Amino acid sequence: MLNKLKILDFTRLLPGPYATMILADLGAEVLRIESPYHPDLLQTSPPFDGDQSAAHQTINRSKKSITLDLKSEEGTEIIYKLVKEYDIVIEQFRPGVLEKLGLSYEQLKKINSKLIYCSITGYGQSGPYRNRAGHDNNYLSLTGVLSYSTRKNERPVPMGIQVADQVGGSLHAIIGILSAVIHREQTGEGQWVDISMTDCTFALQSLMGSGWLTQKINPKPEEHLLNGGVFYDYYETADGRFFSVGSLEPSFRKQLCQALEIMPFLPYSFSEEKDEIDLFKNEVKRAFSKKTFNELKEIFSKFDACVEPVLTFEEACEHPQVKERGLLVNVQKNDGTNQLQIGSPFKSSVFKTTYQHVGVKPGTNTKEVLLSLGYDHQTINRFIEKGVIRSAD
């Protein structure tokens, strides 16, 4: 669907690369610009499939890669040539870094006025924290999310996925870029998209935040509808496993009580009195604790109650819904074998995702790209000798 989009990807680690992976899955041509001297930390993240990080091979699938010393005049000149053809740039440097290298939006749009330039940073291009370092848990902390995403009197726990990085950074960057593409198609005008992972994470709090902004109700652990304040929660089984209960609507609450054989307690589930809310929740807790994980799976398979088992990742991969939706795919490696990866979640009546290859080693396509820009072999070899580029071969 996006096969007319050509993207220069200056990003590292997760937020930017995950965004460009999705764009590549949807058909965009993505060219990664990587340093010859400072490898992306994702390349060294275990586990490894052969001599490469499996995560790196997934996040960077279907993308090409060149290595460039952006501090060199020759490296900058190569980018200037690429920007004439690749009219979307996504970068993840701290504010001002690319400007010093002659690669800011203002500098590059002089070469291509239709350029769409997306910057993903922790705190955005303005504000007192614009130059401050940060990671996912920092953004979740500063936005208030972690203060009520925990149990009472317990410390916050590290998330299993990077919410601020991927939901805050990656997905909002994609929305910004594709919105800019539509605007460009209508007006011929490019633009600079400023994505702050902190901004976007803060904005995700539409439900919890509205309570404070209108009624000065500060969100607290286990005191609200969706953070454990009612029976919407996780419950332990007799053998130490867990189930999620999301039976919010009346019809689902009824089926929950029927499945657990606690129908006399159903009226308490509608109460707004804390004692009665606690009474119902404790009864649900007691009912779950009397049966094993497998017994409860069998029971709830017969009820549509918004109750599901908490699966391990291994179990999730074997779930029939995951299999039916095609969420596990084989992607070709450079040796001709395949690697099993999580596939694209996008389904369309007019488009089917294709996966060209797993993420390649940095610089795999350097010579190929430079030859396409008109550089000859002699010049390319001179670049290699000067350290401007580094080829993977």
Side-chain angles (χ1 to χ4, degrees):
M1 286 189 284
L2 303 181
N3 61 10
K4 292 184 179 180
L5 301 188
K6 302 187 71 172
I7 300 169
L8 285 184
D9 180 0
F10 289 86
T11 65
R12 295 156 59 94
L13 288 174
L14 184 58
Y18 186 75
T20 54
M21 179 197 76
I22 292 174
L23 293 167
D25 286 347
L26 293 174
E29 181 179 333
V30 178
L31 176 61
R32 280 175 58 77
I33 310 297
E34 305 193 66
S35 169
Y37 310 111
H38 304 291
D40 186 340
L41 289 178
L42 196 61
Q43 295 171 30
T44 60
S45 298
F48 292 89
D49 185 1
D51 63 348
Q52 289 187 266
S53 162
H56 182 270
Q57 289 177 309
T58 298
I59 296 297
N60 292 297
R61 65 182 174 219
S62 300
K63 306 174 191 176
K64 294 182 178 180
S65 168
I66 66 171
T67 53
L68 280 182
D69 179 4
L70 297 179
K71 294 181 180 179
S72 67
E73 291 183 9
E74 295 91 341
T76 302
E77 187 60 37
I78 290 169
I79 296 298
Y80 289 166
K81 290 189 176 185
L82 285 169
V83 165
K84 295 177 181 178
E85 182 179 354
Y86 289 79
D87 56 6
I88 299 174
V89 165
I90 180 169
E91 62 95 5
Q92 202 173 297
F93 291 95
R94 292 199 205 187
V97 170
L98 287 184
E99 182 179 8
K100 293 177 181 177
L101 300 174
L103 301 174
S104 70
Y105 170 67
E106 294 297 334
Q107 292 158 323
L108 293 184
K109 79 171 185 177
K110 294 176 183 177
I111 300 169
N112 187 340
S113 63
K114 294 185 177 181
L115 179 68
I116 293 169
Y117 190 105
C118 179
S119 297
I120 303 175
T121 57
Y123 303 105
Q125 300 297 309
S126 60
Y129 269 35
R130 67 187 293 268
N131 290 315
R132 191 174 177 88
H135 276 299
D136 186 88
N137 60 347
N138 304 133
Y139 314 138
L140 290 170
S141 298
L142 286 179
T143 53
V145 171
L146 292 184
S147 70
Y148 57 84
S149 301
T150 182
R151 297 296 182 185
K152 285 185 177 180
N153 303 316
E154 292 186 14
R155 65 179 184 177
V157 297
M159 301 286 185
I161 60 173
Q162 282 60 59
V163 176
D165 283 358
Q166 293 176 276
V167 181
S170 308
L171 299 186
H172 282 82
I174 293 169
I175 293 168
I177 288 170
L178 296 183
S179 297
V181 168
I182 294 171
H183 177 79
R184 185 173 65 185
E185 290 176 348
Q186 294 172 340
T187 67
E189 179 184 31
Q191 63 183 277
W192 186 9
V193 179
D194 172 10
I195 297 294
S196 156
M197 287 180 272
T198 301
D199 289 2
C200 296
T201 303
F202 187 81
L204 293 173
Q205 300 177 98
S206 301
L207 295 181
M208 288 297 197
S210 62
W212 169 256
L213 294 173
T214 62
Q215 304 297 320
K216 299 306 179 199
I217 300 172
N218 200 20
K220 295 179 181 179
E222 296 187 284
E223 290 193 5
H224 306 276
L225 179 67
L226 301 179
N227 77 336
V230 294
F231 61 90
Y232 180 99
D233 209 335
Y234 302 93
Y235 294 88
E236 189 171 4
T237 66
D239 50 351
R241 296 292 298 272
F242 288 87
F243 269 72
S244 60
V245 172
S247 314
L248 293 178
E249 293 83 353
S251 62
F252 299 142
R253 297 187 200 193
K254 182 178 179 180
Q255 293 200 55
L256 169 69
C257 292
Q258 289 174 335
L260 295 178
E261 299 179 344
I262 58 170
M263 279 300 291
F265 293 89
L266 176 61
Y268 295 110
S269 73
F270 298 98
S271 175
E272 294 185 3
E273 297 296 326
K274 186 178 186 310
D275 290 346
E276 294 183 341
I277 293 171
D278 290 343
L279 175 64
F280 181 74
K281 186 170 183 177
N282 287 332
E283 190 60 27
V284 173
K285 181 178 180 181
R286 185 194 63 80
F288 271 95
S289 69
K290 290 169 59 178
K291 291 184 168 56
T292 67
F293 184 76
N294 286 334
E295 287 174 336
L296 288 161
K297 279 178 63 178
E298 176 62 24
I299 289 169
F300 280 103
S301 69
K302 300 177 176 65
F303 290 87
D304 192 22
C306 295
V307 176
E308 298 296 347
V310 176
L311 302 180
T312 66
F313 184 77
E314 178 183 6
E315 290 169 335
C317 289
E318 294 300 317
H319 195 282
Q321 183 68 19
V322 169
K323 289 186 172 182
E324 173 64 26
R325 295 292 290 173
L327 292 176
L328 298 176
V329 297
N330 282 303
V331 182
Q332 188 172 30
K333 297 165 64 176
N334 60 6
D335 62 3
T337 62
N338 291 325
Q339 181 182 88
L340 191 63
Q341 295 186 355
I342 296 174
S344 171
F346 296 97
K347 304 291 186 287
S348 167
S349 61
V350 299
F351 174 79
K352 182 176 175 58
T353 303
T354 57
Y355 308 94
Q356 298 176 38
H357 50 73
V358 302
V360 298
K361 293 181 178 180
T364 295
N365 308 102
T366 301
K367 290 183 178 179
E368 166 198 339
V369 170
L370 293 188
L371 287 170
S372 72
L373 293 175
Y375 293 99
D376 57 31
H377 288 283
Q378 183 178 357
T379 303
I380 292 172
N381 289 333
R382 180 168 57 83
F383 286 166
I384 293 173
E385 291 172 4
K386 290 186 64 177
V388 174
I389 64 173
R390 182 176 292 175
S391 181
D393 56 19

